């Protein structure tokens, strides 16, 4: 009996590891191809776009990338400004909103939560026509704020934070803080925020990735080349069908993904540890 | 005195929600309403900003509902979403079970968790190009593989087969999102009180039983969240279907959002019809979300009411303690 | 509490300010056209007195950095102009359909940031020269260019003129390239099958007309050679052989010549005349290197295809390596053109004089100091650049189009008549969408996925569903 369970356990582990390793390969392969392709010439890539053998064109691809009329460093700075600010706004204000939803018993609370859930259903693509026209009318095209400020209202992040806060928020600490005469805002910043760290880190990753990779809206909103983001610059390399510089495109994509890696891996301890979300719906 | 204090705290609920509300009103609600209004007008053509309402205000909506391509795109979208969601949630649940199992701990869990989310980091454009090259005819890695394995002798033209193209798009979606879903589900499991598991262990439940009898029922809210967000995302699928094969072959991967995009930007600039189609999609999504909410609602409401009462009780207790 | 409120206040202020700024923007926009007459005349005086540090900006909208690069060179060559003006280029890729919406908004919005010069690609030039957006383009003659005399002097390819002429019969756009197409074939395979690789002989073998072409393909197939790589290769030739465009008087028009593409593509597949590749994908490029499942005899394309695509994909950089040097150009069975960039001027530009000079230099100057001479000979940015076929026949006649890649053949010998064959009268602003729909259905039919009737029916339905075009 016991033997068969150990045997079962061993075979379970074997199968599990085979699946896990397979998934690992499938998940990492595109990155490897991307990195390898950034060392290959455009024509090598056209002949065979999927290869695991690096070539020697890294420098010439880099020259193509930097030899254009736009500056990748500017793109990098713009992307950083947008993504860092948008992420900061998302996690801070989502935590604040979630806190407001949980810590206080106000009349419109239930209605407001329903509204947030409903907003999640409004697809961004759908309203992009209206959003663009609106931004154009108020003169916010070519303004990074047009891509940053909307991050304040991130319904999915609010939902996530709320679910996290439900089981973890110590109401008694809040009460004792009140007794000590601490303001509500102070309490939130000094007591609640530190507790929220794991959830904020996880949402931070999600929103940073989304914001950094966002192409469609920046592409139509930012038309001045001093405002371009990294993804816009990479898409410019693909702009001309006659002579797409694939080598430089892949190098650009690889460079674009590097900051994501840095952010992701520096926050990945929260992914490894996991974030406990409460299951109670309210 | 007590009631006064209660009110003074309640207002913070409003105050803390104001930034969200303001940003939402400006950046979300206004464009949404604007889009909705355009749906009733004659706004089409380039660079036009003036429009008037149609005599038959529902004309655009009728045109869209009766548009055969829209029907095809709706079918495709639902089809592709289901083909992606079922395996996605299945695999995510399996991995969640493995990574949260209290019995057999798998080594290297942290590594796997980090790696599985990574397909979500890479941009859609890159993925679309890579997958397109993967299945080319007559020479491509996929064709090399099936010929080497002896499945076929002749190269196979994957990308003219409608179903194959749909499977590929569904697979890409699945592959991009299973890691994300897994992370959310693991978060949900970590939130389940360990006492419940301990109780189940005492009753002699094995790990499979525990997963189905303890984990799944307690994961309901998070599953609901996953279902809703994935449904919203799935019904709005755009990047991959458009970049992979422009909605082809033969409209097989034409999703509703690609359809909407085509209405507005593929030559005729029919912003009014695009807006009407957008609103129809919004209604469809809202309708399905309501259904899902409704199904999962009843029991939760009870629990919620209970917890609210409990909180009130604790609050009163705290007040009492504070007074004393 | 106070903090929260002040934060909110700040937020409201920021948004309010942005909104106000927008308000003033729109007012200047509406006022702009009225002011323009004055500013145009006043501008030159003002700029001469202005200090050199205060340069006026020439706003340019383009989708690659090719035209910005040219205008930058123009400023290098003309320091007296560069003292007064500087280039302000906005480059937006055509990928993801972003270029046109942005350009449209900029044109409609007007004001100081509106483009003075803007570029349009063959796929959408019709919209800006004849279609929905033609009213924004200023006729070249209104810029002060002597259009008729210049056109004749430079012998500009007629199809580029036709495309750039607005519904009032005035020229509003011209290109610098001419993209008339040729049949680019492998010398060694011609030698193997017909015993000669002389372009004049091969021109007679592969054309004129599709029947002659298929007879040649038959001979090639007998030797195990594919005539072309994929059906996309013949498409551009088929498209251009049509008398009328896709849309005539608001109705869909399926020209018999374009409908025949179904049968041409089917024949190519059934008789093994092609390798069934899709253009712009790996196997298509591999065929240029001669590494497909069967060797491919030739490709249809203009000069840019040779320079930017085929040369690099030939697997070599000098004659003897890969297929490099084993190619030659012959006359195609049917005349066609493929691609190209047109330059247009904004009717509201306040810098008409300098805009006129630039446009004339790029599109109509047939002297050796003109852009086209340098472009044709590959000397714009120094010796040894890429040679390209240009719009001016005068320039090409005095330029050297010999390429090592073509075994030393002077490609201009073929491309000058090819530019004359091309037809610029059968385009519409819907072409990009309708073409991709049509080719998609043809592919389904050829692959045996659906019948000929179904393919045509689905095609018509797709057009009716997605465009504001009447389908009968």
């Amino acid at each position: 009996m016991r033997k068969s369970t150990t045997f079962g356990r061993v075979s379970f582990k074997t199968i599990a590891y085979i699946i896990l390793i397979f998934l690992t390969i499938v998940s990492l392969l595109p990155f490897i191809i991307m990195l390898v392709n950034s060392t290959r010439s455009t024509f090598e890539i056209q002949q065979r776009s999927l290869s695991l053998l690096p070539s020697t064109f890294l420098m010439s691809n880099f020259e193509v990338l930097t030899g254009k009329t736009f500056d990748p460093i500017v793109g990098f700075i713009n992307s950083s400004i947008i993504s860092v600010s948008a992420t900061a706004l998302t996690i801070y204000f989502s935590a604040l909103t979630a806190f407001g939803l949980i810590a206080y018993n106000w009349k419109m609370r239930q209605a407001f939560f329903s509204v947030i859930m409903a907003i999640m259903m409004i697809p961004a693509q759908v309203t992009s026509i209206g959003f663009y026209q609106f931004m154009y009318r108020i003169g916010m095209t070519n303004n990074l704020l047009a891509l940053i400020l909307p991050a304040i209202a991130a319904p999915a992040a609010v939902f996530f934070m709320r679910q996290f806060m439900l089981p973890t928020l110590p109401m008694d600490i809040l009460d004792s803080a009140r007794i000590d005469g601490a303001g509500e805002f102070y309490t939130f910043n000094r007591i609640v925020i530190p507790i929220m760290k794991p959830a904020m880190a996880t949402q931070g990753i999600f929103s940073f990735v989304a914001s950094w990779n966002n192409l469609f809206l920046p592409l139509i909103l930012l038309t001045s080349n001093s405002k371009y983001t990294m993804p816009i610059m990479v898409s410019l390399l693909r702009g001309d069908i006659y002579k797409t510089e694939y080598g430089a495109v892949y190098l650009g994509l690889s460079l674009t993904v590097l900051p994501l890696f840095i952010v992701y891996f520096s926050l990945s301890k929260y992914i490894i540890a996991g974030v406990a979300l409460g299951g109670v719906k309210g | 005195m007590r009631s006064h204090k209660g009110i003074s705290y309640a207002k913070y609920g409003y105050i803390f929600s104001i930034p969200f509300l303001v940003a939402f009103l400006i950046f979300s609600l206004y464009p949404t309403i604007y889009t909705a209004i355009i749906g009733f007008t004659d706004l089409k053509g380039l660079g036009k900003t003036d429009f008037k309402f149609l005599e038959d205000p529902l004309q655009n909506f009728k045109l869209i509902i009766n548009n055969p391509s829209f029907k095809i795109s709706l079918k495709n979208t639902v089809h592709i979403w289901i083909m992606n969601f079922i395996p996605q949630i299945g695999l995510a649940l399996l991995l969640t079970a493995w990574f949260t199992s209290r019995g057999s701990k798998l080594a290297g869990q942290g590594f796997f968790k980090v790696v599985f989310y990574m397909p979500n980091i890479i941009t859609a454009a890159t993925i679309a190009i890579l997958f397109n090259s993967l299945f080319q005819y007559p020479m491509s890695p996929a064709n090399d593989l099936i010929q080497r394995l002896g499945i076929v002798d002749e190269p196979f033209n994957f990308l003219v087969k409608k179903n194959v193209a749909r499977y590929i798009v569904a697979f890409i979606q699945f592959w991009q999102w299973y890691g994300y879903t897994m992370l959310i589900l693991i978060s949900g499991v970590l939130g389940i009180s360990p006492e419940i598991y301990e109780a189940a262990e005492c009753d002699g439940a094995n790990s499979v039983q525990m997963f189905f009898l303890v984990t799944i029922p307690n994961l309901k809210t998070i599953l609901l969240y996953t279902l809703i967000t994935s449904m919203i995302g799935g019904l709005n699928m755009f990047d991959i279907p458009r970049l992979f094969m422009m909605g082809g072959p033969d409209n097989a991967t034409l999703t509703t959002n690609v359809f909407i995009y085509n209405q507005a930007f593929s030559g005729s600039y029919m912003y009014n019809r695009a807006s009407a189609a957008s609103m129809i999609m919004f209604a469809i999504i809202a309708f399905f979300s309501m259904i899902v909410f409704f199904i999962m609602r009843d029991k939760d409401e009870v629990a919620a009411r209970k917890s609210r009462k409990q909180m009130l009780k604790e609050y009163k207790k705290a007040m009492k303690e504070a007074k004393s | 509490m106070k903090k929260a409120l002040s934060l909110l206040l700040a937020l409201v202020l920021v948004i309010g300010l942005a909104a106000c700024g927008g308000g003033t923007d729109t007012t200047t926009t509406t006022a702009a056209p009225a002011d323009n007459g004055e500013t145009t005349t006043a501008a030159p005086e003002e700029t001469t007195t202005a200090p050199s540090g205060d340069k006026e900006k020439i706003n340019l909208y383009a989708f690659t950095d090719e035209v910005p690069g040219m205008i930058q060179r123009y400023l290098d060559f003309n320091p007296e102009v560069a003292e007064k003006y500087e280039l302000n280029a906005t480059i937006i890729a055509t990928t993801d359909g972003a270029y046109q919406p942005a350009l449209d908004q900029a044109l409609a919005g007007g004001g100081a940031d509106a483009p003075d010069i803007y570029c349009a690609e063959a796929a959408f030039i019709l919209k800006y020269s004849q279609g929905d957006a033609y009213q924004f383009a200023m006729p070249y003659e209104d810029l002060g260019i002597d259009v008729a005399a210049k056109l004749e002097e430079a012998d500009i390819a007629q199809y580029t003129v036709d495309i750039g002429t607005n519904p009032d019969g005035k020229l509003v756009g011209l290109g610098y390239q001419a993209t008339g197409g040729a049949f680019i074939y492998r010398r060694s395979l011609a030698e193997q099958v017909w015993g000669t690789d002389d372009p004049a002989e091969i021109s007679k073998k592969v054309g004129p007309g599709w029947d002659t072409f298929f007879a040649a393909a038959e001979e090639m197939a007998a030797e195990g050679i594919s005539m072309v790589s994929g059906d996309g290769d013949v498409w551009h030739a088929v498209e251009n052989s049509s008398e009328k465009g896709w849309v005539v008087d608001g109705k869909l028009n399926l020209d018999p010549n374009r409908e025949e593409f179904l049968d041409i593509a089917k024949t190519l597949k059934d008789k093994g005349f092609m390798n069934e590749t899709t253009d712009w994908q790996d196997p298509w490029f591999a065929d240029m290197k001669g590494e497909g499942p069967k060797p491919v005899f030739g490709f249809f394309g203009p000069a840019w295809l040779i320079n930017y695509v085929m040369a690099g994909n030939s697997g070599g950089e000098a004659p003897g390596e890969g297929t490099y040097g084993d190619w030659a150009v012959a006359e195609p069975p049917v005349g066609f053109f493929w691609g190209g960039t047109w330059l247009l001027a904004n009717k509201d530009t306040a810098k008409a004089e300098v805009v006129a000079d630039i446009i004339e230099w790029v599109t109509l100057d047939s002297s050796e100091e003109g852009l086209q001479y340098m472009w044709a000979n590959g000397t714009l940015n120094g010796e040894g650049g890429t040679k390209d076929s240009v719009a001016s026949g005068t320039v090409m006649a005095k330029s050297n189009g010999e390429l090592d890649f073509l075994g030393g053949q002077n490609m201009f010998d073929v491309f000058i008549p090819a530019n004359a064959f091309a037809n610029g009268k059968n385009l519409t602003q819907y072409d990009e969408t309708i073409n991709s729909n049509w080719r998609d259905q043809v592919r389904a039919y050829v692959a045996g996925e659906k019948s000929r009737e179904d393919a045509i029916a689905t095609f018509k339905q797709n057009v009716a569903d997605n465009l504001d075009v009447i389908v009968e």
Side-chain angles (χ1 to χ4, degrees):
Chain A
M1 178 69 194
R2 181 172 288 174
K3 238 182 197 170
S4 82
T5 41
T6 7
F7 178 73
R9 194 156 285 175
V10 169
S11 63
F12 157 73
K13 282 210 166 172
T14 316
I15 293 167
Y17 277 116
I18 288 170
I19 293 175
L20 292 176
I21 287 164
F22 174 75
L23 289 174
T24 303
I25 293 169
V26 170
S27 299
L28 291 179
L29 209 54
F31 292 95
I32 295 163
I33 289 171
M34 194 170 78
L35 291 172
V36 168
N37 274 351
S38 63
T39 69
R40 301 168 74 213
S41 77
T42 297
F43 298 117
E44 283 174 337
I45 295 167
Q46 284 181 345
Q47 292 292 331
R48 189 169 271 273
S49 39
L50 308 176
S51 170
L52 298 175
L53 293 175
S55 184
T56 53
F57 289 85
L58 184 64
M59 277 322 289
S60 68
N61 287 337
F62 191 74
E63 275 157 25
V64 172
L65 189 67
T66 51
K68 293 279 173 179
T69 47
F70 44 81
D71 186 351
I73 295 176
V74 172
F76 189 84
I77 293 169
N78 287 334
S79 279
S80 305
I81 293 173
I82 294 173
S83 305
V84 170
S85 324
T87 306
L89 289 180
T90 294
I91 55 179
Y92 184 78
F93 284 103
S94 299
L96 186 69
T97 313
F99 181 68
L101 276 170
I102 286 186
Y104 308 103
N105 203 356
W106 40 298
K107 228 187 235 166
M108 301 291 287
R109 175 162 86 160
Q110 191 55 41
F112 187 60
F113 182 64
S114 309
V115 167
I116 290 179
M117 293 302 284
I119 300 169
M120 289 206 314
M121 288 167 218
I122 304 178
Q125 286 284 351
V126 161
T127 56
S128 63
I129 299 170
F131 183 73
Y132 177 67
Q133 299 255 349
F134 176 46
M135 287 300 123
Y136 191 79
R137 201 167 316 152
I138 63 170
M140 273 181 66
T141 52
N142 275 326
N143 190 338
L144 301 186
L145 282 178
L147 294 162
I148 295 172
L149 292 178
I152 293 172
V158 173
F159 182 90
F160 187 91
M161 303 264 191
R162 179 182 175 278
Q163 295 311 105
F164 174 77
M165 233 182 255
L166 275 174
T168 41
L169 192 68
M171 289 295 179
D172 34 344
I173 296 184
L174 296 187
D175 285 332
S176 54
R178 277 175 197 154
I179 294 157
D180 294 344
E184 294 301 302
F185 204 68
Y186 180 90
T187 311
F188 172 74
N189 283 334
R190 290 300 152 94
I191 298 173
V192 181
I193 291 275
I195 298 170
M196 294 294 293
K197 241 173 155 184
M200 288 171 98
T202 313
Q203 279 303 311
I205 291 171
F206 296 158
S207 89
F208 191 86
V209 168
S211 174
W212 187 272
N213 280 339
N214 191 4
L215 174 64
F216 186 74
L217 268 184
L219 200 57
I220 57 175
L221 284 174
L222 308 175
T223 54
S224 146
N225 61 11
S226 61
K227 297 284 163 57
Y228 286 165
T229 62
M230 281 294 276
I232 294 180
M233 290 182 175
V234 174
S235 88
L236 276 179
L237 293 169
R238 298 199 298 128
D240 190 344
I241 191 164
Y242 321 134
K243 38 173 186 177
T244 298
E245 303 279 3
Y246 283 107
V249 168
Y250 280 107
L251 180 61
L253 288 168
S254 305
L255 292 177
T256 309
V257 105
L258 277 184
L260 287 177
F261 277 167
I262 294 168
V263 170
Y264 182 55
F265 290 125
S266 64
L267 294 177
S268 64
K269 67 173 181 188
Y270 293 103
I271 294 248
I272 294 166
V275 179
L277 290 186
V280 184
K281 183 178 166 291
Chain B
M1 175 67 199
R2 190 183 294 168
S3 66
H4 171 76
K5 215 169 184 189
I7 291 164
S8 92
Y9 282 124
K11 82 179 178 207
Y12 288 102
Y14 293 97
I15 290 169
F16 285 0
S17 309
I18 286 174
F20 182 98
L21 207 62
V22 169
F24 162 70
L25 290 176
I26 294 173
F27 297 109
S28 235
L29 192 65
Y30 178 87
T32 308
I33 291 172
Y34 185 90
T35 310
I37 289 173
I38 289 175
F40 298 100
T41 69
D42 64 348
L43 182 70
K44 71 179 170 193
L46 205 70
K48 294 220 178 79
T49 43
D50 52 328
F51 49 78
K52 62 174 195 297
F53 288 93
L54 293 164
E55 278 175 27
D56 174 5
L58 292 177
Q59 190 189 332
N60 294 319
F61 292 86
K62 286 178 193 159
L63 277 171
I64 293 294
I65 289 173
N66 293 317
N67 189 316
S69 291
F70 181 69
K71 287 179 203 160
I72 292 172
S73 71
L74 197 55
K75 254 184 245 166
N76 286 337
T77 310
V78 173
H79 190 172
I80 293 172
W81 175 65
I82 291 174
M83 283 195 302
N84 125 55
F85 184 71
I86 292 174
Q88 180 188 320
I89 197 87
L91 182 65
L93 274 173
L94 181 73
L95 294 172
T96 304
W98 287 353
F99 291 155
T100 56
S101 166
R102 299 163 64 84
S104 48
K105 287 246 186 285
L106 292 166
Q109 280 186 26
F111 171 79
F112 291 123
K113 279 189 209 166
V114 169
V115 164
F116 292 169
Y117 173 69
M118 284 176 59
N120 207 278
I121 290 182
I122 203 162
T123 56
T126 318
I127 293 170
I129 296 173
L130 289 181
F131 274 85
N132 206 318
S133 322
L134 197 61
F135 290 98
Q136 277 303 311
Y137 180 88
M139 297 181 309
S140 61
N143 260 312
D144 281 354
L145 188 73
I146 59 168
Q147 284 176 76
R148 224 171 267 170
L149 293 177
I151 300 169
V152 289
D153 299 328
E154 294 283 298
F156 182 74
N157 200 342
F158 291 96
L159 297 181
V160 297
K161 300 283 178 202
K162 297 171 73 162
N163 273 332
V164 175
R166 255 181 288 214
Y167 286 131
I168 293 172
V169 171
F171 175 79
I172 296 174
Q173 296 283 340
F174 155 80
W175 168 80
Q176 269 194 290
W177 291 97
Y178 80 92
Y180 172 86
T181 307
M182 173 196 78
L183 291 181
I184 299 284
L185 293 183
I186 289 176
S187 300
V189 174
L190 292 177
I192 299 170
S193 160
E195 288 155 30
I196 309 179
Y197 284 107
E198 277 154 25
E201 256 167 9
C202 283
D203 294 345
N206 66 25
S207 53
V208 177
Q209 285 170 324
M210 276 213 284
F211 182 73
F212 283 102
L213 298 176
V214 179
T215 307
I216 297 273
N218 281 296
L219 210 52
K220 223 163 109 185
T221 317
I222 299 298
L223 280 172
L224 174 75
Y225 169 81
T226 312
L227 182 64
I228 301 255
T229 49
S230 164
M231 190 172 78
I232 295 166
L235 294 181
N236 284 303
M237 212 183 308
F238 177 74
D239 293 10
I240 296 287
R242 185 178 145 74
L243 296 168
F244 178 57
M245 290 201 71
M246 301 278 283
D250 198 10
N251 287 340
T253 60
L254 181 79
T255 61
T256 47
N257 259 0
V258 176
F259 173 84
I260 291 168
Y261 181 88
N262 285 344
Q263 295 288 311
F265 298 114
S266 75
S268 283
Y269 308 93
M270 298 181 287
Y271 300 119
N272 52 351
R273 280 214 238 161
S275 302
S278 301
M279 285 304 121
I280 292 172
M281 276 317 288
F282 177 46
I284 291 173
I285 293 170
F287 176 73
F288 281 112
S289 305
M290 297 300 185
I291 291 181
V292 176
F293 268 123
F294 190 75
I295 293 171
M296 315 276 263
R297 184 185 152 124
D298 292 331
K299 299 165 203 163
D300 283 349
E301 196 64 6
V302 181
R305 235 175 270 142
K306 254 186 212 162
S307 81
R308 220 174 293 153
K309 260 183 207 159
Q310 176 118 18
M311 265 159 72
L312 204 68
K313 224 186 265 169
E314 274 170 61
Y315 173 65
K316 279 180 187 161
K317 210 167 89 189
M319 292 291 289
K320 238 181 235 167
E321 277 166 7
K323 267 187 188 165
S324 61
Chain C
M1 169 64 203
K2 265 184 187 163
K3 261 189 195 167
L5 269 181
S6 59
L7 198 79
L8 270 174
L9 261 174
L11 199 77
V12 170
L13 267 177
V14 167
I15 292 159
L17 276 177
C20 290
T24 46
D25 246 21
T26 30
T27 46
T28 46
T29 307
T30 44
D35 290 342
N36 247 330
E38 291 167 46
T39 37
T40 328
T41 45
E45 286 171 3
E46 273 174 19
T47 40
T48 39
T49 50
S52 58
D54 244 354
K55 289 183 185 176
E56 272 201 81
K57 282 181 174 152
I58 302 167
N59 293 322
L60 168 72
Y61 267 59
F63 45 87
T64 66
D65 63 351
E66 201 164 86
V67 175
M70 289 174 185
I71 296 181
Q72 201 54 58
R73 289 301 281 167
Y74 174 84
L75 293 175
D76 295 346
F77 292 142
N78 299 281
E80 76 286 354
V81 180
E83 265 175 32
K84 287 186 234 161
Y85 297 101
E86 61 183 357
L87 179 63
N88 176 31
T90 299
I91 310 171
I92 304 167
T94 55
T95 40
D96 306 296
Y99 178 67
Q100 294 182 61
L103 175 60
D104 298 344
Q105 291 289 357
L107 286 171
D113 292 330
D116 296 302
I117 303 174
Y118 51 104
C119 301
E121 223 247 88
F124 53 84
I125 168 70
L126 261 284
K127 180 174 121 189
Y128 295 96
S129 64
Q130 299 167 9
D132 286 351
Y134 96 86
Q135 73 274 13
F136 296 116
M138 185 188 250
Y140 278 14
E141 58 182 55
D142 294 356
L143 285 167
I145 300 175
D146 186 357
V147 174
K150 280 282 178 185
L151 278 179
E152 195 176 323
E153 187 193 328
D155 185 20
I156 299 293
Q158 186 58 38
Y159 85 95
T160 67
V161 179
D162 290 341
I163 289 171
T165 302
N166 75 9
D168 308 330
K170 293 186 173 166
L171 183 72
V172 295
L174 274 185
Y176 43 94
Q177 282 170 310
T179 57
F183 186 66
I184 308 155
Y185 65 94
R186 286 277 297 277
R187 286 173 182 271
S188 58
L189 299 178
E191 190 81 43
Q192 179 192 336
V193 177
W194 292 316
T196 174
D197 67 353
D198 178 26
E201 293 295 314
I202 304 304
S203 297
K204 283 182 220 151
K205 288 274 185 195
V206 299
W210 292 116
D211 293 338
T212 323
F213 186 76
F214 281 132
E218 203 93 48
E219 289 181 59
M220 285 289 155
E223 303 267 330
I225 300 164
S226 288
M227 192 68 176
V228 293
S229 179
D231 61 2
D233 291 300
V234 298
W235 165 246
H236 295 282
V238 172
E239 182 190 10
N240 265 269
S241 64
S242 141
E243 202 51 43
K244 293 208 163 109
W246 279 122
V247 179
V248 179
D249 300 328
K251 288 180 194 157
L252 178 69
N253 166 48
L254 179 52
D255 191 281
N257 283 334
R258 287 183 181 172
E259 187 177 335
E260 201 195 349
F261 181 52
L262 280 166
D263 309 307
I264 293 173
K266 187 83 174 157
T267 311
L268 287 174
K269 173 175 163 119
D270 290 352
K271 299 203 170 168
F273 293 167
M274 67 168 173
N275 280 358
E276 287 182 69
T277 61
T278 305
D279 32 352
W280 304 106
Q281 300 296 342
D282 304 8
W284 188 64
F285 293 115
D287 277 343
M288 294 176 185
K289 204 177 176 181
E291 291 190 344
K294 283 194 289 177
V296 165
F297 181 53
F299 290 82
F300 283 83
W304 61 255
L305 188 80
I306 297 173
N307 294 325
Y308 298 144
V309 184
M310 295 185 66
N313 276 297
S314 64
E317 283 167 4
E321 297 172 16
T323 60
Y324 199 99
D326 190 31
W327 298 87
V329 287
E331 283 165 30
V334 177
F336 71 102
F337 78 96
W338 182 8
T341 304
W342 276 256
L343 270 71
L344 300 101
N346 189 341
K347 65 168 175 16
D348 292 333
T349 181
K351 298 145 211 150
E353 206 171 324
V354 67
V355 166
D357 282 349
I358 291 173
I359 286 190
E360 190 175 327
W361 180 71
V362 173
T363 63
L364 284 163
D365 186 343
S366 53
S367 74
E368 298 195 3
E369 279 74 47
L371 169 101
Q372 296 195 23
Y373 186 82
M374 298 183 234
W375 195 253
N377 293 285
T379 55
L380 180 64
N381 298 306
E383 289 294 322
T386 312
K387 295 175 180 178
D388 200 354
S389 164
V390 293
S392 162
T394 312
V395 168
M396 287 219 278
K398 61 183 171 187
S399 299
N400 177 356
E402 284 174 20
L403 289 183
D404 287 345
F405 178 77
L406 299 174
Q409 184 189 8
N410 184 346
M411 63 172 174
F412 293 160
D413 293 345
V414 174
F415 282 118
I416 294 174
N419 290 338
F421 282 139
N423 178 1
K425 290 185 170 160
N426 55 11
L427 280 83
T428 70
Q429 68 177 50
Y430 308 103
D431 286 357
E432 207 175 358
T433 306
I434 301 185
N435 282 344
S436 81
N437 255 314
W438 178 237
R439 290 195 51 200
D440 186 37
Q441 288 305 318
V442 170
R443 211 170 288 139
Y445 165 66
V446 170
E449 296 291 307
K450 60 189 344 179
S451 72
R452 197 175 186 282
E453 290 70 34
D454 284 352
I456 293 175
T458 316
F459 164 69
K460 288 185 171 170
Q461 189 62 55
N462 283 342
V463 173
D465 289 351
N466 288 303
L467 295 169
D468 196 14
V469 168
I470 301 162
V471 179
E472 287 167 334

